[in-house]
Amino acid sequence: VPVCLETEEVIMIELSIIEKADTPAAWLEQFKAYAGIADNAQDSLLQAILSKAVLSVQQKADRSLIACTFELREDEVEDCRVRLYQTVSQVVSVRDGQGRVEYWEQVGNKVKVFANSAIVTYRTEPHLADIDTLLPIVYQYATALYDGEDSKTLASILTQC
């Protein structure tokens, strides 16, 4: 599902997940223990809730919890730099807005390009410290989803990121 971000200058950015790793099996068991769910009858539902929680928390925290491949489209590149989100491990490709291969250089969490628009495909990889910090928030968020909490409660949980 694409996420559209806007900056002060109303530059449109679209960030789509192309591929994502599965959440580790241990996380489902830890989530069930956190939420007090003893049986296995709802495991597929709980796994879907956990996956939604992981993606929500990593988006809000701008840190990876699971490895993902993203495609970022930026319509108007400012200062020849495209900001990459979450924990970048590898830039796979950079193309201009028409899909032509573009020369690029990675500078931290940014890619320097020489085009007015860019399509950047990149991979993220989680860091253990981020997982240790954010996983309790994931379990809290997933439990709130399971309990049917309202959007205000969900948003409040995400402020901990």
Side-chain angles (χ1 to χ4, degrees), residues 18-88:
I18 297 173
E19 187 178 350
K20 69 178 184 69
D22 293 331
T23 55
W27 291 7
L28 177 60
E29 294 309 314
Q30 292 168 4
F31 164 47
K32 288 169 57 177
Y34 179 91
I37 302 167
D39 64 38
N40 297 335
Q42 298 183 19
D43 278 5
S44 59
L45 170 65
L46 296 172
Q47 183 62 54
I49 289 171
L50 181 60
S51 292
K52 168 69 175 153
V54 165
L55 293 176
S56 296
V57 169
Q58 74 177 20
Q59 178 184 341
K60 179 66 176 174
D62 197 20
R63 295 282 178 249
S64 298
L65 293 168
I66 57 173
C68 294
T69 301
F70 287 97
E71 182 178 87
L72 184 143
R73 293 175 176 263
E74 187 166 335
D75 292 337
E76 294 183 33
V77 175
E78 293 282 322
D79 299 325
C80 298
R81 298 197 191 305
V82 176
R83 182 191 187 283
L84 305 178
Y85 297 88
Q86 300 186 20
T87 316
V88 179

Side-chain angles (χ1 to χ4, degrees), residues 4-158:
C4 292
L5 308 168
E6 293 184 24
T7 65
E8 300 81 39
E9 290 103 24
V10 192
I11 297 169
M12 291 303 297
I13 298 171
E14 182 181 312
L15 183 64
S16 303
I17 296 175
I18 297 173
E19 187 178 350
K20 69 178 184 69
D22 293 331
T23 55
W27 291 7
L28 177 60
E29 294 309 314
Q30 292 168 4
F31 164 47
K32 288 169 57 177
Y34 179 91
I37 302 167
D39 64 38
N40 297 335
Q42 298 183 19
D43 278 5
S44 59
L45 170 65
L46 296 172
Q47 183 62 54
I49 289 171
L50 181 60
S51 292
K52 168 69 175 153
V54 165
L55 293 176
S56 296
V57 169
Q58 74 177 20
Q59 178 184 341
K60 179 66 176 174
D62 197 20
R63 295 282 178 249
S64 298
L65 293 168
I66 57 173
C68 294
T69 301
F70 287 97
E71 182 178 87
L72 184 143
R73 293 175 176 263
E74 187 166 335
D75 292 337
E76 294 183 33
V77 175
E78 293 282 322
D79 299 325
C80 298
R81 298 197 191 305
V82 176
R83 182 191 187 283
L84 305 178
Y85 297 88
Q86 300 186 20
T87 316
V88 179
S89 65
Q90 177 188 16
V91 175
V92 176
S93 69
V94 179
R95 296 171 281 142
D96 67 11
Q98 284 70 46
R100 294 181 298 253
V101 174
E102 178 67 29
Y103 172 79
W104 58 275
E105 178 183 342
Q106 187 171 349
V107 182
N109 69 337
K110 295 182 171 85
V111 172
K112 185 175 181 181
V113 297
F114 301 96
N116 294 330
S117 59
I119 303 167
V120 182
T121 303
Y122 66 98
R123 293 187 179 109
T124 62
E125 193 68 38
H127 293 158
L128 187 56
D130 293 332
I131 292 171
D132 290 343
T133 301
L134 297 172
L135 207 48
I137 301 168
V138 168
Y139 297 148
Q140 185 180 4
Y141 192 87
T143 302
L145 285 172
Y146 180 72
D147 291 342
E149 296 290 348
D150 61 22
S151 60
K152 183 177 179 181
T153 301
L154 296 171
S156 175
I157 294 167
L158 290 178

